[in-house]
Amino acid sequence: MSASILVVEDEPAIQELVSYACANGGYAVRRAGSVQAAQEAVRAALPDLVILDWMLPDRTGLELLRELRAQERTREVPVIMLTARGAETDRVSGLDAGADDYVVKPFSPRELVSRVRAVFRRRAPQHSGEALEFGPLRIDPVRHEVCVNDEPVRMGLAEFKLLKFLIGHPERVFSRSQLLDSVWGDHVFIEERTVDVHVLRLRKALQPSGVQHLLQTVRGLGYRLSLRPE
Ligand code: CA
């Protein structure tokens, strides 16, 4: 269940280098050589992060970035801009348009992967591969382990994925469709009430540890993981 990265770069050697570095870092990689190919790839499946070259043959990476930020479905996808330009104005317009980070060519593959990790830590901690904590809850994504006050808690895979996502975005309310997209992957045709079933199961799994109240229903909106009283 590794995080997916879409590499958008038209230069074959650099596309290969970036893809190899990311695959080596444990990520699932897809590639696109143009803005159009990238749009198709995003339509087919939402990536967890995009590495986006500035100069592409059909349009600029900056235009694609603006498009991603303008659409509800792609707004939250972290983007790292890749460019040969080091000029201050470019850096500023990339960050202004909503890029999460900016890597100037030439770069070392190790540096790029560490930037990817840093962006995941900040924007989507559930993909960073590191243990996440929230109140008495602790989740280790690599060992597939959930603990409450250091006591292991058993749960199904779907409940684990749901908790992992929520613990990466604590105190935020997510609708059923947002949870379906983020936890089960978009374009997966599952009914929204499936989310309710897994929320119930997750509460049940947490009940013996007495922390089921952290997983809260927000009437009319969805669910959240919260330390605040319900
Ligand atoms: Ca290019």
Side-chain angles (χ1 to χ4, degrees):
M1 192 175 45
S2 44
S4 70
I5 297 181
L6 177 63
V7 177
V8 189
E9 164 67 76
D10 58 319
E11 244 168 285
I14 299 179
Q15 192 194 73
E16 181 65 35
L17 180 76
V18 171
S19 304
Y20 182 78
C22 292
N24 233 7
Y27 300 105
V29 178
R30 287 186 298 150
R31 311 170 181 210
S34 66
V35 167
Q36 201 196 336
Q39 287 167 324
E40 281 161 18
V42 168
R43 262 198 297 278
L46 195 63
D48 295 312
L49 182 141
V50 178
I51 295 176
L52 179 56
D53 186 31
W54 188 292
M55 296 299 283
L56 292 160
D58 46 354
R59 290 165 60 209
T60 69
L62 190 64
E63 285 174 88
L64 177 60
L65 172 62
R66 291 202 175 110
E67 242 178 60
L68 293 174
R69 288 297 175 255
Q71 290 165 21
E72 171 86 48
R73 178 170 166 263
T74 52
R75 184 167 295 150
E76 299 282 330
V77 176
V79 175
I80 298 177
M81 291 293 289
L82 208 63
T83 178
R85 306 172 176 206
E88 188 75 8
T89 49
D90 290 342
R91 195 177 300 243
V92 169
S93 47
L95 295 175
D96 268 356
D100 294 275
D101 202 356
Y102 197 99
V103 178
V104 178
K105 295 177 194 170
F107 53 85
S108 81
R110 269 175 65 183
E111 182 200 348
L112 180 68
V113 171
S114 80
R115 299 282 196 101
V116 166
R117 290 227 163 83
V119 167
F120 271 139
R121 250 196 314 274
R122 206 166 65 231
R123 291 285 313 281
Q126 75 274 20
H127 295 313
S128 71
E130 291 168 2
L132 302 169
E133 289 184 18
F134 181 69
L137 285 166
R138 186 172 197 277
I139 191 162
D140 186 330
V142 177
R143 294 165 66 187
H144 266 247
E145 199 176 70
V146 178
C147 288
V148 176
N149 295 320
D150 298 327
E151 290 294 319
V153 174
R154 296 172 62 94
M155 62 183 65
L157 180 62
E159 288 72 51
F160 179 86
K161 284 161 79 173
L162 178 62
L163 182 63
K164 188 172 89 153
F165 176 76
L166 289 171
I167 215 170
H169 304 83
E171 305 290 354
R172 276 181 60 183
V173 182
F174 293 95
S175 68
R176 288 167 179 80
S177 72
Q178 282 174 317
L179 289 173
L180 274 181
D181 285 356
S182 308
V183 179
W184 280 266
D186 66 338
H187 297 319
V188 178
F189 297 99
I190 305 175
E191 286 184 66
E192 292 196 356
R193 65 165 178 251
T194 307
V195 175
D196 303 338
V197 171
H198 291 291
V199 166
L200 275 176
R201 285 190 194 153
L202 180 52
R203 281 208 184 107
K204 214 167 184 177
L206 296 174
Q207 201 162 12
S209 320
V211 294
Q212 71 280 7
H213 60 278
L214 298 180
L215 179 52
Q216 303 176 353
T217 304
V218 182
R219 198 175 291 271
L221 292 175
Y223 297 104
R224 74 173 172 204
L225 195 65
S226 176
L227 290 171
R228 284 177 271 173
E230 244 177 306

